[in-house]
Amino acid sequence: RSKIPLEAKTVDFRHLKSHCSHIPPPLSDSFHRRQLTLIDELQSIGAAAFIAEPGSTAHYFANVSLQEWRLSERPLLVTISPIQVVGDSGTSSFEPQITVLTPKFEAARAHIRLVVPSKRPVEFVEWAESEDPYKTLRQHFYNNPERESSSHVVLDDQMRLFVVDGLSGAGWTRVAGGRSEAGKVREHKTAEEIEIMKCASEATLLAIRAVREEMYFGMLESEANKWMRQALVDAGLGDAGVFATTQFGSNAALPHGGAPERALGRHDLVTFDVGGTLHGYWSDVTRTFALPGSQIPSKHLEIWNTVKKAQDAAFRVAKQGVRAKDVDAAARSVIQDAGFGEFFSHRLGHGIGLDLHESPYLRGDSQDPLEIGNTFSNEP
């Protein structure tokens, strides 16, 4: 006898929308300060420019994200270079000059879509289908006497290999070690960025709580996951994407899921690993809980409390100047002492910002010292 499926329960999480409505995106002056910091770094290592494709780094320095411009086989490149300017008093200084290399047939769209904060007029350099885009960019630099004539550049570490090869073939030389210098600029979050990320994390936690209130025994992981994604979007956290992993009971032993779907039972804990984006900045929140009326085995409660103690140990150690590996070790020792060390098979955490996973990484081999402005997860 076939079973008639119950009508899916409808949920509404739009009341979450207002939580971050008062938080503005970064100001134009913030982008200019980032650009000034970047050209200082470029000059300190003898580089003529920083070059990136649309993505999180181009977003950070020039407001050119993958939402504004999708990658294709036709490269669009954002370059930031120090350019010498002479003031009214005759004194000279360096200002960031932003140049956008765009396919010629998409130039009008680039002018319309890309709103690049800059104190100086943004240069748009067009390349035709019959031209080499990388040589076109190189020639533009050669023809500008106000620019540093060096061929040494810093390339974004997310740049695709064929673009790296194309730039190299056109005569650009990648500065050894330059990536790490440029990357450090992004690692130091400002008060403005931290306010955005705090609100994104708060709204994510409110979304988890709202979904939890609607959950019931017998529901499937996929249904709860669908609600979770809806709650994140309704909370205003979907501008650059959301993610959600929902696991019941023993399925949660797989950090990123993959087990066959499970219905929620009274002996099951629920684990949500979810996040969304506000003005491009990610949240990443994990919560493990039981519904009212659950009968959780004592062993599972012991594991939950061990993980909480490990997390608290990491919080106590995470201070300015402490190596990332030592924070990882603080949490790991708690779990090892409790007899669960073999199951702690991943790093403690990772940096969070315009990328969901970015530096610093809290893992056992990292000598990187934590610094003021670092933002990272703590998830033993």
Side-chain angles (χ1 to χ4, degrees):
R1 184 178 177 180
S2 62
K3 294 183 178 180
I4 300 175
L6 296 175
E7 183 178 351
K9 180 179 178 179
T10 58
V11 290
D12 187 348
F13 303 113
R14 287 176 293 180
H15 64 283
L16 301 172
K17 181 70 174 179
S18 63
H19 187 75
C20 292
S21 59
H22 65 291
I23 300 291
L27 302 173
S28 294
D29 284 347
S30 300
F31 284 96
H32 189 239
R33 285 192 293 271
R34 297 171 185 178
Q35 294 160 10
L36 286 171
T37 302
L38 177 62
I39 65 169
D40 284 346
E41 294 286 351
L42 294 175
Q43 291 180 301
S44 72
I45 58 176
F50 172 75
I51 308 178
E53 293 191 90
S56 58
T57 307
H59 185 180
Y60 180 82
F61 289 113
N63 197 39
V64 180
S65 71
L66 290 172
Q67 280 61 56
E68 277 68 48
W69 197 275
R70 295 291 179 184
L71 300 180
S72 76
E73 75 281 6
R74 298 181 176 97
L76 179 139
L77 299 178
V78 177
T79 74
I80 303 174
S81 56
I83 191 166
Q84 191 169 24
V85 295
V86 179
D88 295 336
S89 63
T91 59
S92 64
S93 61
F94 286 90
E95 284 286 331
Q97 175 64 61
I98 299 179
T99 304
V100 176
L101 176 73
T102 175
K104 187 172 184 177
F105 87 103
E106 292 184 295
R109 185 165 76 94
H111 279 273
I112 295 169
R113 290 282 297 170
L114 304 183
V115 181
V116 180
S118 176
K119 297 288 188 180
R120 297 176 56 82
V122 176
E123 299 174 331
F124 283 85
V125 177
E126 302 173 9
W127 62 275
E129 296 277 84
S130 59
E131 298 174 336
D132 183 320
Y134 315 107
K135 290 181 179 178
T136 300
L137 180 63
R138 188 80 180 97
Q139 190 63 43
H140 175 77
F141 269 67
Y142 270 130
N143 291 340
N144 191 328
E146 296 176 307
R147 276 198 172 87
E148 170 63 50
S149 60
S150 169
S151 64
H152 292 82
V153 292
V154 173
L155 304 183
D156 182 23
D157 64 315
Q158 298 178 357
M159 184 175 283
R160 293 173 294 175
L161 183 58
F162 80 87
V163 179
V164 175
D165 289 344
L167 289 167
S168 176
W172 297 99
T173 302
R174 189 173 192 172
V175 177
R179 180 191 65 81
S180 60
E181 290 299 319
K184 286 179 181 177
V185 179
R186 278 184 57 186
E187 289 182 20
H188 294 272
K189 305 300 189 293
T190 63
E192 180 183 51
E193 292 178 284
I194 289 172
E195 284 304 306
I196 294 172
M197 296 180 67
K198 281 173 61 178
C199 203
S201 293
E202 291 168 1
T204 302
L205 185 55
L206 291 174
I208 292 174
R209 291 173 178 172
V211 171
R212 182 182 62 187
E213 292 300 313
E214 301 291 342
M215 293 178 67
Y216 58 91
F217 295 115
M219 73 181 307
L220 296 175
E221 289 169 326
S222 58
E223 184 179 12
N225 204 64
K226 180 180 178 181
W227 290 356
M228 192 68 252
R229 296 179 69 89
Q230 178 186 336
L232 292 166
V233 172
D234 287 350
L237 299 181
D239 62 6
V242 300
F243 76 93
T245 302
T246 303
Q247 299 163 291
F248 299 159
S250 60
N251 281 3
L254 296 176
H256 288 159
E261 178 151 62
R262 182 182 179 116
L264 182 59
R266 292 187 181 274
H267 299 290
D268 291 337
L269 288 167
V270 176
T271 296
F272 281 127
D273 181 2
V274 304
T277 47
L278 179 64
H279 306 315
Y281 287 85
W282 282 94
S283 64
D284 185 359
V285 179
T286 300
R287 287 292 185 271
T288 299
F289 57 86
L291 293 189
S294 296
Q295 300 170 353
I296 305 301
S298 59
K299 188 67 174 180
H300 295 179
L301 295 176
E302 177 191 355
I303 294 171
W304 189 99
N305 282 295
T306 298
V307 172
K308 181 64 166 64
K309 290 176 182 176
Q311 188 179 61
D312 291 343
F315 277 130
R316 289 193 296 270
V317 172
K319 308 287 184 183
Q320 182 181 12
V322 174
R323 295 177 301 178
K325 64 178 291 185
D326 296 328
V327 185
D328 178 278
R332 199 167 299 277
S333 63
V334 173
I335 292 177
Q336 288 173 339
D337 291 346
F340 301 114
E342 64 181 293
F343 305 109
F344 192 178
S345 57
H346 54 85
R347 66 189 175 216
L348 174 65
H350 55 83
I352 308 172
L354 289 171
D355 282 318
L356 179 58
H357 291 185
E358 61 182 45
S359 296
Y361 292 96
L362 281 71
R363 59 177 187 246
D365 66 337
S366 176
Q367 300 287 343
D368 293 339
L370 299 185
E371 299 180 8
I372 299 298
N374 290 163
T375 51
F376 50 86
S377 65
N378 177 8
E379 43 189 335

